[in-house]
Amino acid sequence: MKPAAFDYARPPSLDDAIRLLADGDGAAMPISGGQSLLILMGLRMTMIDTLVDVTQLQELKQLRDDGDGVFVGALTTHATIEDGKIPDPSAGLLARVASKIAYRAVRNLGTIGGSVALADPAADWPACLIALGAEVCIVGPGGERRERVEDFVRGAYETSLATGEIVVGFQLPRREATRWGISKVSRKSGAFADSMAVAVEATDGAPRVALAGTASRALHLPQVSLHLQQHRTVDAAELATVIRAELAELVPDADPYQLRCHVATISRAIAEARA
């Protein structure tokens, strides 16, 4: 199918982009790489009156190392991260996640900001950023605000963005001696994950485990994370029991196949982080 008719705007400044989005009253949408949004529009799963092209906005392209952390602009492409062209406080996790997203042609255009703002439950970046304890930086008519990624993503294709707001970038904390693991199950190469888990541990903070591929959104797993904090040596059977108990609470509608995938990816991610 083809998308319904829409207007196209390419604002020269961030203020102009915010104004266009605010004036759209919910019917205007920012676009950068468009690797997911254009597909949804073609299928008419989303109806948009105005596309606001933000690819020229310098505020969304910033890359900063602040000492205690790194700021990654929303327009940073997956390929840029994969190629190690950004300051990386994650000891290689960001590049690993980026390299597993779809195909290189998609990674050349798709952006980290677009991925998180779209909030596909199976997308890679929300789970990764949740595991890293990252914050999303948002600018809108009311000024700038920051929010934890795990709070920003509210549900399937649902975020806390208000009318006129736009994701500017992400603040990633720097952790000491970071160890991490990732596991992903997809039905075919390049496809969104049926299940994806990311585990991050460091000497200066509590472990964090996140899960993507649920029916609703990427999730932080606090009970699994606490179990890792309390047990330096993890018994596989005991860990699986903790995982299943938390999944029963957080993902109650998962079918048996999904539960097996989630238990497996979470266990494998933790095992890699502790290898």
Side-chain angles (χ1 to χ4, degrees):
M1 294 182 65
K2 295 181 179 180
F6 59 87
D7 292 328
Y8 172 83
R10 197 174 195 180
S13 70
L14 181 58
D15 288 341
D16 289 328
I18 292 171
R19 177 181 55 77
L20 286 167
L21 293 170
D23 291 346
D25 195 25
M29 179 76 71
I31 186 169
S32 50
Q35 299 302 285
S36 298
L37 178 59
L38 292 177
I39 295 172
L40 294 177
M41 292 175 63
L43 295 172
R44 302 206 176 188
M45 293 176 64
T46 183
M47 304 299 288
I48 296 170
D49 290 340
T50 304
L51 278 182
V52 180
D53 186 338
V54 299
T55 55
Q56 299 304 305
L57 303 183
Q58 296 303 312
E59 294 91 340
L60 277 63
K61 298 181 180 181
Q62 298 181 56
L63 296 169
R64 298 193 307 268
D65 189 331
D66 301 327
D68 292 333
V70 168
F71 181 87
V72 178
L75 288 180
T76 305
T77 64
H78 312 317
T80 298
I81 299 172
E82 177 185 12
D83 294 344
K85 295 180 179 179
I86 69 166
D88 183 4
S90 71
L93 173 59
L94 296 175
R96 170 78 174 277
V97 170
S99 71
K100 300 298 182 181
I101 296 174
Y103 307 98
R104 182 68 185 197
V106 171
R107 299 196 292 271
N108 284 335
L109 293 174
T111 64
I112 187 172
S115 173
V116 176
L118 185 65
D120 189 303
D124 298 59
W125 285 124
C128 173
L129 296 176
I130 288 171
L132 288 171
E135 293 182 326
V136 56
C137 305
I138 302 162
V139 174
E144 181 178 344
R145 66 183 180 90
R146 293 194 176 190
E147 188 173 17
R148 296 187 306 172
V149 173
E150 60 204 82
D151 298 324
F152 172 76
V153 179
R154 300 285 179 84
Y157 305 104
E158 179 185 359
T159 70
S160 69
L161 282 176
T163 300
E165 289 188 326
I166 188 170
V167 173
V168 175
F170 304 91
Q171 187 69 33
L172 282 63
R174 187 179 298 282
R175 305 283 297 277
E176 293 294 332
T178 300
R179 298 183 301 169
W180 52 264
I182 179 173
S183 180
K184 184 176 180 179
V185 173
S186 302
R187 293 181 184 267
K188 63 178 182 178
S189 177
F192 276 118
D194 287 349
S195 178
M196 172 183 165
V198 182
V200 174
E201 293 193 85
T203 58
D204 61 343
R208 290 179 64 87
V209 181
L211 175 70
T214 71
S216 60
R217 61 190 178 96
L219 299 167
H220 174 227
L221 304 180
Q223 294 305 315
V224 175
S225 302
L226 179 62
H227 185 78
L228 295 184
Q229 184 177 5
Q230 295 175 339
H231 299 81
R232 300 310 305 169
T233 301
V234 176
D235 177 79
E238 184 179 359
L239 175 62
T241 299
V242 174
I243 293 171
R244 290 191 186 95
E246 185 152 31
L247 291 176
E249 178 182 346
L250 297 180
V251 196
D253 297 329
D255 61 34
Y257 167 76
Q258 292 169 325
L259 286 175
R260 288 197 301 272
C261 285
H262 293 331
V263 172
T265 57
I266 295 166
S267 299
R268 290 169 185 168
I270 292 170
E272 182 179 17
R274 293 201 160 181

